[in-house]
Amino acid sequence: MAATQSDVLAHVVQGGAGDWRQHDLGDHLAGTARRAGAFAAQFASESWAEMAAQLHDLGKAGADFQRYLRTASGYDAEAHLEGKHGKVDHSSAGAVWACGQWRIQGTLLAYPIAGHHAGLPDWIGGVSGLEARVRKLDRLKEAQVNGMLALLASLRPPTQPPKVDPDHPEDVHLWLRMLFSCLVDADFLDTEAFMDPARVELRGQEQPHLGALKARLDAHMAGLARGADDSPVNRVRCQVLASCRDGAELAPGLFSLTVPTGGGKTLASMAFALDHAVRHGKRRVVVVIPYTSIIEQTAEVLAKVFGPGVVLEHHSNLDPARETLAGRLASENWDAPIIVTTNVQFFESLFASRTGACRKLHNLVDSVVVFDEAQMLPSSFLKPILQVLGTLVRQYGASAVLCTATQPTLQGRIGTQGAVFTGLEGVRELMPDPTGLAVSLRRTALRLHSPDFTPVTWGALAEELAEKDQVLCIVNTRRDCRELHACMPEGTLHLSALMCPEHRSDLIRMIKERLKAGDPIRVISTQLVEAGVDLDFPVVYRALAGLDSMAQAAGRCNREGKLGRLGDVVLFTPPKPAPSGLLLKGEEAARELLRVCPELALSLAPEAFTRYFQTFYGKVNSFDEKDMVGLLVKEAHLAKFQFREAAEAFRLIDEGDQAAIIVRYGPHRERIERLVEALRFAGPSRERLRALQRFTVTLPGRVVQELHRQGDIEEVQGFWVQVADSLYDDRAGLCADAIRFRPDLYTL
């Protein structure tokens, strides 16, 4: 659709026939305002979003930008004769104008306006900081907003922010991000509608509504019930499902779902989410999972229920073969009925400053969010995480479910002494009797290898494990995994993060097949199998760790309850304690509980985890390690925020000095070779990098540099690629011998 002829342009685009189409700036501002207002109406901020949208491209009306647009696009070949041209800052004008007109309300508006391309700014940040931009107020002349004077005259000061509780100053930064999300998504969509109408049609494909998806799940669950054995485990799973469906009638808010491993949480929590969404008019369901390996498994389960293309996976490890263009477009703003994503993607977006990361946030309004394995929420960021979660529920109509077998203590007073804060309020448990449920679903007996915690040598432990036909042994570090595996008989499987994701997926698939066939199998693994990987061994050994980790390990034993007896879970003390930090604090807290209340700890009852997490949190030095409160809350009343600094600091996985190596994993070697050669000669692309990510191993940067010095890896288009054949072993992953000088490589 061609825009009308105008002297003030927002965009121009050349068609295939060489004709030019113009996007009038007034039309763009009005179109963006309509979209942004509609998005923000979901949280009573329509007028704020419309105001931000009407001002966001104000600077495009200036002569400098108009000259730049005509020159850079090639629309006007003579424009360069009028003066210098180059990239022109068009984002500051509207922000500065708002600050000058409306003081603190204008300053609040200035953040999303000034950041709609480069991301939300810091208040103090050199020349790019909002404070420095506001100082340009006296330079904003009427000539810079040529043609927009009528628009400016029509604008009225906004009211007080509607989604800010005076008792909760932490609300303000999320409200601004929500406004920013509405503005950015509206700006992208309005521009896309002009520039690429075909893309708009693809994005606008009709999706099934939640009521239809609920009907599919109902039919699937009915089919499972008809085909299931009348076993004690399946009877308990039916009770869990019924309780979740009963709980869906409750008013929206915060919920916990405490169900032992193997109790059917994945489908039961989805049943709650869909029933609750339909009952209370929620718009979508978001499932948040700590690890990409669990996402793959969960997505497979949900695909069987809802069919292909319904569930949107949004995570860094997605195989491009499973990604459609429509899905890619939906991942930009989470415009899908069901989303499965990671803790990292979800929470880092809630503290992000970049446009791409924030664009989806307004679609969390009126959603049901299920947090799988909620005990994995990192304690070093627990305070800001629980604050933002509380705000989502209290101010934006979200319902949240904390779903786990090992429920952490997230309500009331958390921590001791200097590290204390108030957690969530009003969390309702969906299971009527979690303790009774734990007794009903008990399929394992835990015992200490040594009641006095005497360490066992790897050699002695290997001899003990070799006597078992089917056994899983989980250790704390990659180094421990290597050392124990080296003591085991030929044919023992090794599983750790020194293996690329595709290798791990292949191996887990093989383990399941051999277990199902009843074949002898021994596996030495790190904790990557503990959460969400459905393995079912008759015997599991677990190195002493946090009680939640040991309980998750127990969930890989007698999972289906088919042994006719309790499965055997043995907790042993390894030759060396866990690495210092939170892992060691978890081990120490578990030791304390095992010494004082051994029967309670070994029962894995809900009370045991309450006691454990109280002890563990008492050892934590800080629940806000990067001072999110100081960056985002302390001066909120003055409209002073350090958005970019906070976004850089809020990293759930502290990659530090880390680098990924593309390895040549044997079964897929030909495909990897083709991808690497394409990378070498054609350069990186989204699809190519997504595919290669399945074949990467992440190592400390200093180790990567030494491998490069040794000639074991090379750099290809800015990415490290394996050269030496000996570097990667198709049984155990990255080879220890290749890094002769770095024993510290094998810590986690």
Side-chain angles (χ1 to χ4, degrees):
M1 180 178 71
T4 58
Q5 179 71 28
S6 172
D7 291 333
V8 184
L9 303 179
H11 311 97
V12 292
V13 64
Q14 190 171 26
D19 58 312
W20 288 90
R21 292 187 297 115
Q22 303 171 319
H23 197 187
D24 177 75
L25 179 57
D27 290 347
H28 174 55
L29 296 180
T32 303
R34 283 194 300 272
R35 295 173 189 270
F39 295 151
Q42 301 288 339
F43 55 99
S45 298
E46 183 175 6
S47 63
W48 282 84
E50 288 177 347
M51 192 79 66
Q54 288 172 322
L55 290 170
H56 82 287
D57 271 355
L58 188 63
K60 285 188 175 182
D64 286 346
F65 184 87
Q66 290 297 306
R67 186 181 303 112
Y68 159 74
L69 178 65
R70 287 166 165 79
T71 302
S73 65
Y75 175 68
D76 185 351
E78 302 300 321
H80 70 280
L81 299 177
E82 299 177 26
K84 294 181 179 179
H85 68 275
K87 196 165 184 180
V88 177
D89 172 16
H90 70 273
S91 302
S92 294
V96 170
W97 191 88
C99 286
Q101 293 293 312
W102 301 319
R103 297 190 179 182
I104 196 161
Q105 289 102 320
T107 303
L108 290 171
L109 269 179
Y111 282 98
I113 295 170
H116 75 272
H117 279 295
L120 287 167
D122 289 339
W123 174 251
I124 300 174
V127 294
S128 64
L130 190 58
E131 182 186 34
R133 295 200 206 182
V134 170
R135 289 175 181 168
K136 297 178 182 178
L137 180 61
D138 59 341
R139 303 179 204 167
L140 185 63
K141 307 298 182 184
E142 290 186 359
Q144 289 180 267
V145 290
N146 176 41
M148 296 293 111
L149 297 180
L151 168 67
L152 296 177
S154 70
L155 300 181
R156 295 291 178 267
T159 58
Q160 290 296 318
K163 289 296 176 182
V164 175
D165 185 336
D167 294 329
H168 292 276
E170 70 272 15
D171 289 356
V172 187
H173 76 87
L174 181 58
W175 175 72
L176 279 174
R177 281 193 181 85
M178 287 290 186
L179 273 186
F180 184 56
S181 174
C182 294
L183 171 60
V184 168
D185 197 27
D187 188 23
F188 271 111
L189 293 175
D190 191 76
T191 302
E192 183 179 83
F194 170 75
M195 303 288 285
D196 192 355
R199 192 180 179 95
V200 175
E201 290 182 14
L202 184 62
R203 190 188 292 277
Q205 289 180 351
E206 187 174 353
Q207 299 170 325
H209 57 81
L210 293 182
L213 296 180
K214 173 180 163 14
R216 293 184 198 180
L217 179 63
D218 291 346
H220 181 82
M221 300 305 291
L224 288 180
R226 287 192 298 269
D229 299 332
D230 186 23
S231 67
V233 170
N234 283 331
R235 286 196 293 272
V236 171
R237 287 172 178 168
C238 288
Q239 294 172 12
V240 169
L241 177 63
S243 295
C244 283
R245 299 205 123 145
D246 289 343
E249 296 294 314
L250 295 172
L254 285 162
F255 301 91
S256 59
L257 175 58
T258 307
V259 177
T261 301
K265 291 191 298 294
T266 299
L267 290 177
S269 61
M270 180 56 69
F272 167 85
L274 287 174
D275 286 4
H276 189 73
V278 171
R279 171 69 177 81
H280 296 286
K282 303 302 179 188
R283 299 190 299 152
R284 57 183 45 82
V285 173
V286 184
V287 181
V288 185
I289 295 176
Y291 299 124
T292 55
S293 58
I294 313 176
I295 283 189
E296 293 170 359
Q297 180 173 282
T298 301
E300 287 178 9
V301 170
L302 297 180
K304 292 177 182 177
V305 176
F306 302 115
V310 172
V311 177
L312 171 65
E313 293 179 65
H314 192 190
H315 56 91
S316 62
N317 212 26
L318 180 61
D319 186 343
R322 291 161 48 204
E323 185 181 34
T324 65
L325 178 55
R328 187 187 308 167
L329 294 176
S331 70
E332 293 175 351
N333 60 359
W334 281 6
D335 189 10
I338 298 177
I339 298 110
V340 181
T341 190
T342 59
N343 283 352
V344 170
Q345 179 69 237
F346 185 85
F347 285 112
E348 288 190 3
S349 294
L350 285 166
F351 287 90
S353 65
R354 293 180 295 106
T355 56
C358 291
R359 181 179 173 184
K360 56 186 167 288
L361 294 182
H362 68 280
N363 277 328
L364 292 177
V365 176
D366 287 330
S367 61
V368 182
V369 187
V370 177
F371 295 96
D372 194 18
E373 307 297 351
Q375 79 283 353
M376 299 299 294
L377 296 177
S379 58
S380 54
F381 289 104
L382 196 59
K383 181 176 180 178
I385 281 175
L386 295 188
Q387 283 183 343
V388 79
L389 181 55
T391 302
L392 267 180
V393 171
R394 184 167 27 85
Q395 299 284 26
Y396 298 96
S399 285
V401 188
L402 302 167
C403 182
T404 178
T406 58
Q407 198 67 243
T409 307
L410 300 179
Q411 298 188 72
R413 179 187 170 94
I414 298 175
T416 59
Q417 299 177 355
V420 180
F421 75 103
T422 301
L424 299 171
E425 299 176 355
V427 180
R428 291 160 288 174
E429 173 59 50
L430 292 172
M431 294 298 103
D433 181 14
T435 300
L437 187 63
V439 172
S440 300
L441 267 178
R442 191 176 186 193
R443 289 146 292 160
T444 61
L446 277 70
R447 62 182 175 87
L448 289 170
H449 189 271
S450 172
D452 61 357
F453 304 106
T454 300
V456 62
T457 66
W458 293 133
L461 184 62
E463 290 181 7
E464 194 171 327
L465 295 172
E467 296 175 357
K468 314 293 182 184
D469 287 334
Q470 291 186 332
V471 63
L472 168 66
C473 181
I474 303 174
V475 294
N476 287 324
T477 71
R478 299 188 294 193
R479 186 179 184 183
D480 289 352
C481 193
R482 282 282 192 180
E483 292 181 356
L484 177 56
H485 183 261
C487 298
M488 293 295 294
E490 185 72 22
T492 302
L493 300 180
H494 170 281
L495 187 59
S496 83
L498 287 176
M499 304 157 76
C500 67
E502 194 71 26
H503 193 172
R504 298 199 301 264
S505 295
D506 288 348
L507 188 59
I508 289 171
R509 193 178 304 113
M510 183 183 73
I511 292 170
K512 290 181 178 181
E513 291 171 355
R514 289 174 62 175
L515 285 171
K516 187 175 182 180
D519 296 337
I521 182 170
R522 302 179 186 93
V523 179
I524 311 299
S525 176
T526 59
Q527 61 265 49
L528 64 84
V529 299
E530 284 183 346
V533 181
D534 293 343
L535 301 179
D536 192 354
F537 282 83
V539 181
V540 170
Y541 279 63
R542 180 57 167 99
L544 201 64
L547 190 66
D548 55 332
S549 293
M550 294 189 289
Q552 291 293 338
R556 311 313 119 196
C557 181
N558 196 22
R559 187 178 181 85
E560 296 299 321
K562 294 181 179 180
L563 285 179
R565 58 177 173 80
L566 294 178
D568 191 17
V569 177
V570 183
L571 309 177
F572 66 91
T573 306
K576 293 181 180 180
S580 60
L582 293 176
L583 285 172
L584 184 57
K585 292 180 189 295
E587 179 184 323
E588 291 170 346
R591 279 179 188 257
E592 288 183 25
L593 192 61
L594 284 164
R595 285 194 182 102
V596 176
C597 307
E599 291 185 4
L600 175 64
L602 294 174
S603 74
L604 301 184
E607 183 187 346
F609 296 109
T610 300
R611 294 277 296 273
Y612 164 74
F613 278 107
Q614 287 173 344
T615 303
F616 172 67
Y617 288 149
K619 296 177 179 294
V620 173
N621 297 325
S622 175
F623 296 100
D624 185 15
E625 197 171 82
K626 301 297 183 179
D627 192 24
M628 294 297 115
V629 169
L631 295 172
L632 298 171
V633 180
K634 188 175 180 180
E635 294 189 290
H637 63 292
L638 300 174
K640 295 180 180 180
F641 308 90
Q642 295 298 106
F643 282 113
R644 292 188 186 180
E645 188 177 349
E648 286 299 315
F650 193 92
R651 292 285 183 265
L652 296 195
I653 299 176
D654 185 8
E655 296 178 347
D657 181 23
Q658 300 278 311
I661 298 174
I662 299 167
V663 298
R664 300 180 189 272
Y665 168 46
H668 301 270
R669 190 174 185 115
E670 289 186 7
R671 182 187 178 203
I672 297 168
E673 297 285 2
R674 290 195 301 270
L675 287 166
V676 169
E677 288 308 294
L679 175 66
R680 190 187 308 275
F681 295 109
S685 70
R686 177 188 174 92
E687 293 77 11
R688 203 165 291 132
L689 295 180
R690 274 289 181 91
L692 283 168
Q693 196 165 36
R694 297 286 301 170
F695 305 102
T696 59
V697 175
T698 300
L699 302 174
R702 61 188 184 278
V703 176
V704 172
Q705 291 299 327
E706 181 62 19
L707 288 174
H708 184 230
R709 188 190 66 77
Q710 293 173 185
D712 292 329
I713 61 176
E714 64 174 334
E715 188 174 359
V716 177
Q717 296 279 10
F719 299 89
W720 296 113
V721 178
Q722 174 190 346
V723 173
D725 287 338
S726 61
L727 184 61
Y728 196 82
D729 180 80
D730 290 343
R731 294 170 300 173
L734 205 84
C735 294
D737 291 343
I739 311 185
R740 298 176 291 276
F741 71 110
R742 285 297 185 192
D744 57 335
L745 168 64
Y746 303 108
T747 59
L748 288 186

Coordinates of all heavy atoms in Angstrom, one line a residue, residues 369-408:
V369 N 2.1 -18.5 34.0 CA 3.5 -18.8 33.9 C 3.8 -20.0 34.8 O 3.6 -19.9 36.0 CB 4.5 -17.6 34.2 CG1 5.9 -18.0 33.9 CG2 4.0 -16.4 33.4
V370 N 4.3 -21.1 34.2 CA 4.7 -22.3 35.0 C 6.2 -22.4 35.1 O 6.9 -22.5 34.1 CB 4.1 -23.6 34.3 CG1 4.5 -24.8 35.1 CG2 2.6 -23.5 34.2
F371 N 6.7 -22.3 36.3 CA 8.2 -22.5 36.5 C 8.5 -23.9 36.9 O 8.2 -24.3 38.0 CB 8.6 -21.5 37.6 CG 8.5 -20.0 37.3 CD1 7.3 -19.3 37.7 CD2 9.4 -19.4 36.5 CE1 7.2 -18.0 37.3 CE2 9.3 -18.1 36.1 CZ 8.1 -17.4 36.5
D372 N 9.0 -24.6 36.0 CA 9.4 -26.0 36.2 C 10.7 -26.0 37.0 O 11.6 -25.2 36.7 CB 9.5 -26.8 34.9 CG 9.6 -28.3 35.1 OD1 9.2 -28.8 36.2 OD2 10.0 -29.0 34.2
E373 N 10.9 -27.0 37.9 CA 12.1 -27.1 38.7 C 12.4 -25.7 39.4 O 13.5 -25.2 39.2 CB 13.3 -27.6 37.9 CG 13.0 -28.9 37.1 CD 12.7 -30.1 38.0 OE1 12.9 -30.0 39.2 OE2 12.3 -31.1 37.5
A374 N 11.5 -25.2 40.2 CA 11.6 -23.9 40.7 C 12.7 -23.8 41.7 O 13.2 -22.7 42.0 CB 10.3 -23.5 41.5
Q375 N 13.2 -24.9 42.2 CA 14.4 -24.8 43.1 C 15.6 -24.4 42.4 O 16.6 -24.1 43.1 CB 14.6 -26.2 43.8 CG 15.3 -27.2 42.9 CD 14.5 -27.9 41.9 OE1 13.3 -27.7 41.8 NE2 15.1 -28.7 41.0
M376 N 15.6 -24.3 41.1 CA 16.8 -23.9 40.3 C 16.9 -22.4 40.2 O 17.9 -21.9 39.6 CB 16.8 -24.5 38.9 CG 16.8 -26.1 38.9 SD 18.2 -26.8 39.7 CE 19.5 -26.2 38.5
L377 N 16.0 -21.6 40.8 CA 16.1 -20.2 40.7 C 17.4 -19.8 41.5 O 17.6 -20.2 42.7 CB 14.9 -19.5 41.4 CG 13.6 -19.7 40.6 CD1 12.5 -19.0 41.4 CD2 13.7 -19.2 39.2
P378 N 18.3 -19.1 40.9 CA 19.6 -18.8 41.5 C 19.5 -17.9 42.7 O 18.9 -16.8 42.7 CB 20.4 -18.1 40.4 CG 19.4 -17.5 39.5 CD 18.2 -18.4 39.6
S379 N 20.1 -18.3 43.8 CA 20.0 -17.6 45.1 C 20.7 -16.2 45.0 O 20.3 -15.3 45.6 CB 20.6 -18.4 46.2 OG 22.0 -18.7 46.0
S380 N 21.7 -16.1 44.2 CA 22.4 -14.8 44.1 C 21.6 -13.7 43.4 O 21.9 -12.5 43.5 CB 23.7 -15.0 43.3 OG 23.5 -15.5 42.0
F381 N 20.5 -14.1 42.7 CA 19.6 -13.1 42.2 C 18.2 -13.3 42.7 O 17.2 -12.8 42.1 CB 19.5 -13.2 40.6 CG 20.8 -12.8 39.9 CD1 21.7 -13.7 39.4 CD2 21.1 -11.4 39.8 CE1 22.9 -13.3 38.8 CE2 22.2 -11.0 39.2 CZ 23.1 -11.9 38.7
L382 N 18.0 -14.0 43.8 CA 16.7 -14.4 44.3 C 15.8 -13.2 44.6 O 14.6 -13.2 44.3 CB 16.8 -15.3 45.4 CG 15.5 -16.1 45.8 CD1 15.1 -17.0 44.6 CD2 15.8 -17.0 47.0
K383 N 16.4 -12.2 45.2 CA 15.6 -11.0 45.6 C 15.0 -10.3 44.4 O 13.8 -10.1 44.4 CB 16.5 -10.1 46.5 CG 15.7 -8.8 47.0 CD 16.6 -8.0 47.9 CE 15.8 -6.7 48.4 NZ 16.6 -5.9 49.3
P384 N 15.8 -9.9 43.4 CA 15.2 -9.2 42.3 C 14.2 -10.1 41.5 O 13.2 -9.7 41.0 CB 16.4 -8.7 41.4 CG 17.5 -9.5 41.9 CD 17.3 -9.8 43.3
I385 N 14.5 -11.4 41.5 CA 13.7 -12.3 40.7 C 12.3 -12.4 41.4 O 11.3 -12.3 40.7 CB 14.3 -13.7 40.7 CG1 15.4 -13.8 39.5 CG2 13.3 -14.8 40.4 CD1 16.2 -15.1 39.5
L386 N 12.3 -12.6 42.7 CA 11.0 -12.7 43.4 C 10.3 -11.4 43.4 O 9.0 -11.3 43.3 CB 11.2 -13.2 44.8 CG 11.8 -14.6 45.0 CD1 11.7 -15.0 46.5 CD2 11.0 -15.6 44.1
Q387 N 11.0 -10.3 43.4 CA 10.3 -8.9 43.3 C 9.6 -8.8 42.0 O 8.5 -8.4 41.9 CB 11.3 -7.8 43.5 CG 11.8 -7.6 45.0 CD 12.7 -6.4 45.1 OE1 13.3 -6.0 44.2 NE2 12.9 -5.9 46.3
V388 N 10.3 -9.1 40.9 CA 9.7 -8.9 39.6 C 8.6 -9.9 39.4 O 7.6 -9.6 38.7 CB 10.8 -9.0 38.5 CG1 11.2 -10.4 38.1 CG2 10.3 -8.3 37.2
L389 N 8.7 -11.1 39.9 CA 7.6 -12.1 39.8 C 6.4 -11.6 40.6 O 5.3 -11.7 40.1 CB 8.1 -13.5 40.4 CG 7.1 -14.6 40.3 CD1 6.6 -14.8 38.9 CD2 7.8 -15.9 40.8
G390 N 6.6 -11.1 41.8 CA 5.5 -10.5 42.5 C 4.8 -9.4 41.8 O 3.6 -9.3 41.8
T391 N 5.6 -8.6 41.1 CA 5.0 -7.4 40.4 C 4.2 -8.0 39.2 O 3.1 -7.4 38.9 CB 6.1 -6.5 39.9 OG1 6.8 -6.0 41.0 CG2 5.5 -5.3 39.1
L392 N 4.7 -9.0 38.5 CA 4.0 -9.5 37.4 C 2.6 -10.0 37.8 O 1.6 -9.8 37.1 CB 4.8 -10.7 36.8 CG 5.7 -10.5 35.6 CD1 6.4 -11.8 35.2 CD2 5.0 -9.8 34.4
V393 N 2.5 -10.7 39.0 CA 1.3 -11.2 39.4 C 0.4 -10.1 40.0 O -0.8 -10.0 39.7 CB 1.6 -12.3 40.5 CG1 0.3 -12.7 41.2 CG2 2.3 -13.5 39.9
R394 N 1.0 -9.2 40.8 CA 0.2 -8.2 41.4 C -0.4 -7.1 40.5 O -1.5 -6.6 40.6 CB 1.0 -7.6 42.5 CG 0.4 -6.5 43.4 CD 1.2 -6.2 44.7 NE 2.6 -6.4 44.5 CZ 3.5 -5.5 44.0 NH1 3.0 -4.4 43.6 NH2 4.8 -5.8 43.9
Q395 N 0.4 -6.7 39.5 CA 0.1 -5.6 38.7 C -0.3 -5.9 37.2 O -0.9 -5.1 36.6 CB 1.3 -4.6 38.6 CG 1.7 -4.0 39.9 CD 0.8 -2.9 40.4 OE1 -0.4 -2.9 40.0 NE2 1.3 -2.0 41.2
Y396 N 0.1 -7.1 36.8 CA -0.1 -7.4 35.3 C -1.0 -8.7 35.1 O -1.0 -9.2 34.0 CB 1.2 -7.5 34.6 CG 2.0 -6.2 34.7 CD1 2.9 -6.0 35.7 CD2 1.7 -5.2 33.8 CE1 3.6 -4.8 35.8 CE2 2.3 -4.0 33.9 CZ 3.3 -3.8 34.9 OH 3.9 -2.6 35.0
G397 N -1.7 -9.1 36.1 CA -2.7 -10.1 35.9 C -2.2 -11.5 35.6 O -2.9 -12.4 35.1
A398 N -0.9 -11.7 35.9 CA -0.3 -13.0 35.6 C -0.6 -14.0 36.8 O -0.7 -13.5 37.9 CB 1.2 -12.9 35.4
S399 N -0.7 -15.2 36.5 CA -0.7 -16.3 37.5 C 0.6 -17.1 37.3 O 1.0 -17.4 36.2 CB -1.9 -17.2 37.4 OG -3.1 -16.6 37.8
A400 N 1.2 -17.4 38.5 CA 2.5 -18.1 38.4 C 2.4 -19.3 39.2 O 1.9 -19.3 40.4 CB 3.6 -17.2 38.9
V401 N 3.0 -20.4 38.7 CA 3.1 -21.7 39.4 C 4.5 -22.1 39.6 O 5.3 -22.3 38.7 CB 2.3 -22.8 38.6 CG1 2.2 -24.1 39.5 CG2 1.0 -22.3 38.2
L402 N 4.9 -22.3 40.9 CA 6.2 -22.8 41.3 C 6.2 -24.3 41.4 O 5.6 -24.8 42.4 CB 6.7 -22.2 42.6 CG 6.7 -20.6 42.6 CD1 6.9 -20.1 44.0 CD2 7.8 -20.1 41.7
C403 N 6.7 -25.0 40.4 CA 6.4 -26.4 40.2 C 7.7 -27.2 40.5 O 8.7 -27.0 39.8 CB 5.9 -26.6 38.8 SG 5.5 -28.3 38.4
T404 N 7.8 -28.1 41.4 CA 9.0 -28.8 41.7 C 8.7 -30.0 42.7 O 7.7 -29.9 43.4 CB 10.1 -27.9 42.3 OG1 11.2 -28.7 42.6 CG2 9.6 -27.2 43.6
A405 N 9.6 -31.0 42.7 CA 9.5 -32.0 43.8 C 10.2 -31.5 45.0 O 9.9 -32.1 46.1 CB 10.2 -33.3 43.2
T406 N 11.0 -30.5 44.9 CA 11.8 -30.1 46.1 C 11.6 -28.6 46.3 O 12.4 -27.8 46.0 CB 13.3 -30.3 45.8 OG1 13.7 -29.7 44.6 CG2 13.6 -31.8 45.6
Q407 N 10.4 -28.3 46.8 CA 9.9 -26.9 46.9 C 10.8 -26.1 47.8 O 11.0 -26.3 49.0 CB 8.5 -26.9 47.5 CG 7.7 -25.6 47.2 CD 7.4 -25.4 45.7 OE1 7.9 -24.4 45.2 NE2 6.7 -26.3 45.1
P408 N 11.4 -25.0 47.3 CA 12.2 -24.1 48.1 C 11.4 -23.2 49.0 O 10.2 -23.0 48.7 CB 13.0 -23.3 47.1 CG 12.1 -23.2 45.9 CD 11.4 -24.6 45.9

